[in-house]
Amino acid sequence: MGTRGLAEGAVLLLGGRSEIGVEVARRLAPGRVVVLAARRSGELGEHSEAIAAAGATAVHRVEFDADDVASHPAMLAKIAAEHGPIGIAVLAFGVLGDQGRAEQDPAHAMAILHTDFVAQAGVLTSLANLLRAQGAGQIVVFSSVAGIRVRRANYVYGSAKAGLDGFASGLADSLHGSGVHLLLVRPGFVIGRMTEGMSPAPFSSTPDQVAAAVVKGLRTRAGRVWVPWILRPVFFAMRLLPQPIWRRMPR
């Protein structure tokens, strides 16, 4: 394997119900083993069929509880042992949570932070150890523009993404030269199940558009991908807004 292109091996989707994750897996499926990991994995039949129809040589389903961080190392080792080396791992799990509830209920705030930051950091550490030992592999991490400059309207979710963005950036640097590549994806508002009922924000995208950008980023070994790309200069400017103005910004 050279410095560009897709890593060989199985595709692991952590968060087997994620619309974006399934679209990424479907695009990567031809000629590969795909492993869908999620809670209630027995209910992933429709997703398995779509990925098999896209050309996967086999689709396996495994139980994965993102919040049970202690279980991750053994689960990942078992997947690699049973289904071959993990070539591309996609972390597509997470929760949006309820900002209003989180401001009143510390347990809910902590639950959002645990799933969207602590659990991600845990599984990333386990994955990095596994792929370093292989000497090859790719990891996809989904940050968000919500974490680039945290807004009052969604600061619990945004702060989790800010932490994840920083963690993944540092991990990517630590993996340099190891043969393992980390792609950090920074989407804006994505129209899908997770945001159902919410008014789309400017520069919104669809799961299909995000997945296409992810696969392109994997092929070119990009370090970071903004979806859509225009958000990069937009948020560069957003960082310069005075705090009194930023405080009044809507979602």
Side-chain angles (χ1 to χ4, degrees), residues 94-152:
V95 295
L96 189 58
D98 183 322
Q99 172 68 30
R101 179 185 167 193
E103 291 183 26
Q104 302 298 320
D105 180 0
H108 187 57
M110 291 169 64
I112 296 169
L113 294 171
H114 191 274
T115 301
D116 290 348
F117 177 53
V118 175
Q120 301 258 355
V123 79
L124 277 170
T125 300
S126 298
L127 266 173
N129 290 337
L130 182 65
L131 298 186
R132 271 196 192 99
Q134 291 178 180
Q138 291 176 284
I139 303 171
V140 178
V141 180
F142 287 100
S143 176
S144 168
V145 296
I148 302 305
R149 186 174 181 184
V150 178
R151 284 167 286 181
R152 185 264 174 269

Side-chain angles (χ1 to χ4, degrees), residues 42-250:
E43 300 173 6
L44 298 177
E46 183 179 345
H47 301 314
S48 296
E49 290 170 8
I51 290 168
T57 57
V59 182
H60 303 284
R61 290 175 271 176
V62 302
E63 281 297 309
F64 167 61
D65 182 349
D67 290 323
D68 185 6
V69 178
S71 70
H72 297 167
M75 180 204 69
L76 293 170
K78 188 170 187 285
I79 289 171
E82 293 183 356
H83 305 303
I86 297 170
I88 304 172
V90 182
L91 278 68
F93 63 89
V95 295
L96 189 58
D98 183 322
Q99 172 68 30
R101 179 185 167 193
E103 291 183 26
Q104 302 298 320
D105 180 0
H108 187 57
M110 291 169 64
I112 296 169
L113 294 171
H114 191 274
T115 301
D116 290 348
F117 177 53
V118 175
Q120 301 258 355
V123 79
L124 277 170
T125 300
S126 298
L127 266 173
N129 290 337
L130 182 65
L131 298 186
R132 271 196 192 99
Q134 291 178 180
Q138 291 176 284
I139 303 171
V140 178
V141 180
F142 287 100
S143 176
S144 168
V145 296
I148 302 305
R149 186 174 181 184
V150 178
R151 284 167 286 181
R152 185 264 174 269
N154 65 352
Y155 68 78
V156 179
Y157 173 79
S159 64
K161 287 299 187 181
L164 177 60
D165 196 286
F167 186 93
S169 296
L171 177 59
D173 286 341
S174 80
L175 290 170
H176 184 72
S178 69
V180 183
H181 168 254
L182 188 148
L183 171 62
L184 182 59
V185 187
R186 292 171 173 162
F189 188 97
V190 180
I191 302 168
R193 283 196 310 267
M194 192 172 180
T195 57
E196 192 171 352
M198 299 170 65
S199 300
F203 311 115
S204 296
S205 58
T206 65
D208 192 66
Q209 290 170 324
V210 178
V214 168
V215 174
K216 181 180 178 182
L218 285 169
R219 290 187 183 280
T220 60
R221 297 291 173 118
R224 293 175 179 82
V225 172
W226 296 70
V227 189
W229 67 268
I230 190 65
L231 288 173
R232 183 174 183 176
V234 166
F235 270 80
F236 179 83
M238 290 284 197
R239 283 174 161 172
L240 303 178
L241 282 177
Q243 193 66 30
I245 296 174
W246 182 255
R247 190 178 297 125
R248 295 194 295 272
M249 291 290 287

